[in-house]
Amino acid sequence: MQRKEAEKLEYKKQYSIKTDEAELIEVEAFIKDYRHFIDHAKTERLSTVYAEGEAIAKGFKPYTPGEPLKAGDKVCYVNREKSILLAVIGKKDLSEGCRIVASHIDNPRLDLKPQPLYENSGISYFKTHYYGGIKKYQWTAVPLELHGVVYRADGTRIDINIGSDPEDPVFYISDLMPHIGKDQMSKSASEFISGEGLNIINGSLPIDEDGGVKLRVLSILNEKYGITERDLITAELTAVPAIMSREVGFDRSMIAAFGHDDRICAYPALRALIDGDIPEHTSVVMLADKEEIGSYGVTGLGSESYSDFIESLCASVGADFLSCKRNSICLSADVGGAYDPCYADAYEATNSAYINRGVVICKYTGSRGKGGCSDASAETLAKLARIFDNAGVVWQVGEYGKVDQGGAGTVASEIAHYGIEVIDCGVPILSMHSVTELASKFDIYEMLKACEAFFKS
Ligand code: MN
Ligand code: MN
């Protein structure tokens, strides 16, 4: 065999970049919609409401478990305001399995502690307990939004969303000036800012000449929302960066935003489902909570609430649940870490995903010898690759960094626990879990194409 022929045997990564004028317009339109979503749905509660609204607008009906369903029916089911499950009943019997895309809509952030309010030296603060894997030092000196719910003692509810409107005030964690930072700068990055050091400034004016900054904050909260300090104890409030998504680069080819992980997969999954035609196999989208802390809790994918939904759909169409699970396949749609040449030491270049090279299929995640992962089989990987190839979806494979460098988990293990075949696939991103993460517009669009192709398979 001559060199020229042998070269044809080599695998070469493709670009996800589009050049066709009409397709570029489609990409930009989708990115605009996506940016609206991530800028207005920075928590799992807000994402759930947003997704439900989009689905209802496209003809989805709230699902009552057990109600009879037929091909073409579109239903959505909200799980305790923090996750949402959606389905379009396909033409084939549900015993033949469904196509599930499972993503998560929670992200690393700062939760307020149950008793958050205190004052020190004329400044009023919230104590926080961080949620998920963050580099704590990134959270100082950036504007913060506050989102969540507070229940008054009488049971009435207040929704709090402050900071996303440009006219709103924001919140802030101070950092030490470098001029007197000798001791701080000598610490390692993990100790640079401690967990107990992430205290959010929320006011500075005393209630009268005798002081009382906390009292003044309490009086404002009471006048505005009718709540007391006791009501904060039972509340659920969380702080996220008050930073809106932006185009990045002279070529405007990338989007920087808070919380790409994992809305960047959740939104394409949602849109592919709600904009799609009646599929052959029933299509399901699971937008889950609590992935960032291990998928625990009743709204995390480790909860049977999710498999119950599939079981209930089976009852609604008279299909056998065990056969359905056995014949189903799930895309665990979560972000992959893109190769970062500035931190090349952490990666293995050949088996890394790259931006602008399409969606990344991850055969396994885990850490230190694939620990804790769901290692997808050759059969599943080959099947997915064929689905993508036949639909012209640009894909690549990628691991989470070099062996023994660390690792990651997704919801794949939880899906596998239900007895459903599962494989990880998502958008490669840079600066994962940072206050702003970076992704290619074309890869985001490719994720939409990937979900569409998967639902049509
Ligand atoms: Mn994720
Ligand atoms: Mn994550």
Side-chain angles (χ1 to χ4, degrees):
M1 193 181 281
Q2 299 298 309
R3 163 180 281 271
K4 273 224 161 84
E5 284 170 81
E7 278 177 354
K8 285 181 196 159
L9 303 176
E10 270 190 316
Y11 167 77
K12 291 192 180 68
K13 276 186 164 56
Q14 289 176 269
Y15 280 105
S16 56
I17 296 164
K18 313 293 176 205
T19 48
D20 177 71
E21 204 60 40
E23 208 168 7
L24 283 172
I25 290 169
E26 264 185 55
V27 172
E28 289 299 336
F30 182 68
I31 294 299
K32 188 170 171 237
D33 291 347
Y34 170 61
R35 289 180 62 189
H36 189 271
F37 171 64
I38 48 173
D39 287 341
H40 295 88
K42 290 181 178 173
T43 66
E44 61 275 10
R45 283 180 186 267
L46 293 172
S47 295
T48 298
V49 170
Y50 198 108
E52 188 188 19
E54 295 265 296
I56 299 282
K58 287 282 168 72
F60 281 66
K61 301 265 185 303
Y63 176 57
T64 309
E67 71 172 287
L69 293 174
K70 59 180 187 317
D73 282 348
K74 303 169 173 185
V75 291
C76 57
Y77 182 76
V78 172
N79 180 13
R80 298 165 175 93
E81 303 193 26
K82 294 181 179 184
S83 69
I84 181 166
L85 300 107
L86 309 103
V88 179
I89 305 301
K91 294 171 195 161
K92 289 190 177 183
D93 191 283
L94 198 44
S95 317
E96 293 186 44
C98 51
R99 301 283 179 264
I100 306 167
V101 180
S103 297
H104 66 93
I105 47 176
D106 63 318
N107 42 251
R109 44 122 193 277
L110 304 179
D111 287 344
L112 298 202
K113 287 193 182 190
Q115 198 162 327
L117 203 56
Y118 76 102
E119 75 170 83
N120 191 349
S121 310
I123 300 177
S124 176
Y125 292 95
F126 285 133
K127 294 294 299 179
T128 69
H129 195 139
Y130 66 93
Y131 171 100
I134 62 167
K135 286 180 167 176
K136 294 189 266 297
Y137 63 81
Q138 291 183 350
W139 288 74
T140 63
V142 292
L144 299 169
E145 300 174 13
L146 196 65
H147 298 287
V149 295
V150 185
Y151 284 92
R152 299 190 191 99
D154 65 4
T156 52
R157 166 187 173 145
I158 305 289
D159 282 81
I160 305 247
N161 294 294
I162 310 171
S164 49
D165 188 314
E167 296 301 311
D168 284 350
V170 293
F171 304 90
Y172 188 89
I173 297 171
S174 62
D175 199 350
L176 185 62
M177 66 185 105
H179 314 65
I180 56 170
K182 184 175 80 65
D183 293 347
Q184 185 196 39
M185 297 292 262
S186 66
K187 292 180 184 170
S188 70
S190 62
E191 297 162 339
F192 197 74
I193 300 290
S194 69
E196 290 296 348
L198 291 170
N199 301 313
I200 299 175
I201 294 173
N202 59 41
S204 69
L205 296 179
I207 197 153
D208 58 28
E209 60 274 15
D210 293 328
V213 187
K214 176 186 159 185
L215 287 176
R216 183 157 178 134
V217 167
L218 273 176
S219 71
I220 293 169
L221 289 173
N222 187 259
E223 279 158 25
K224 192 155 183 216
Y225 303 112
I227 59 176
T228 67
E229 188 171 18
R230 177 233 172 257
D231 303 335
L232 288 178
I233 291 172
T234 60
E236 190 170 85
L237 292 166
T238 190
V240 293
I243 300 171
M244 292 300 180
S245 65
R246 297 295 296 264
E247 292 178 307
V248 174
F250 288 116
D251 55 12
R252 297 174 182 264
S253 60
M254 297 161 280
I255 299 293
F258 168 72
H260 275 320
D261 177 9
D262 185 31
R263 290 178 183 80
I264 206 167
C265 299
Y267 190 72
L270 174 74
R271 282 289 298 271
L273 183 83
I274 66 175
D275 294 342
D277 299 323
I278 302 173
E280 292 297 316
H281 292 94
T282 292
S283 307
V284 174
V285 166
M286 298 177 168
L287 303 184
D289 180 30
K290 297 285 180 284
E291 191 277 341
E292 295 295 356
I293 57 168
S295 295
Y296 300 108
V298 75
T299 51
L301 243 161
S303 157
E304 287 182 9
S305 302
Y306 294 84
S307 55
D308 285 351
F309 179 72
I310 305 288
E311 186 170 13
S312 199
L313 288 182
C314 286
S316 287
V317 298
D320 178 55
F321 177 47
L322 293 183
S323 304
C324 174
K325 285 201 295 181
R326 178 74 195 163
N327 294 320
S328 290
I329 176 167
C330 175
L331 270 196
S332 162
D334 204 345
V335 294
Y339 182 81
D340 190 334
C342 289
Y343 302 95
D345 281 355
Y347 297 85
E348 189 263 287
T350 307
N351 284 282
S352 289
Y354 292 77
I355 64 163
N356 287 322
R357 300 289 190 156
V359 296
V360 49
I361 299 177
C362 212
K363 179 171 156 59
Y364 47 83
T365 57
S367 54
R368 288 168 291 279
K370 304 189 179 182
C373 83
S374 164
D375 196 349
S377 68
E379 288 75 11
T380 308
L381 211 162
K383 183 176 180 175
L384 186 65
R386 280 199 303 277
I387 291 170
F388 286 172
D389 282 344
N390 291 338
V393 173
V394 180
W395 61 275
Q396 54 184 329
V397 288
E399 284 195 351
Y400 261 86
K402 66 183 182 187
V403 176
D404 286 340
Q405 181 68 16
T410 63
V411 297
S413 306
E414 281 69 31
I415 297 286
H417 180 74
Y418 303 154
I420 292 173
E421 202 65 55
V422 62
I423 184 160
D424 284 301
C425 175
V427 180
I429 66 172
L430 290 163
S431 300
M432 193 186 293
H433 283 208
S434 292
V435 288
T436 51
E437 304 172 318
L438 192 62
S440 142
K441 284 182 181 176
F442 292 114
D443 292 338
I444 303 171
Y445 181 72
E446 209 63 32
M447 191 64 200
L448 173 70
K449 298 285 128 187
C451 292
E452 286 173 353
F454 180 70
F455 286 141
K456 282 183 189 154
S457 69

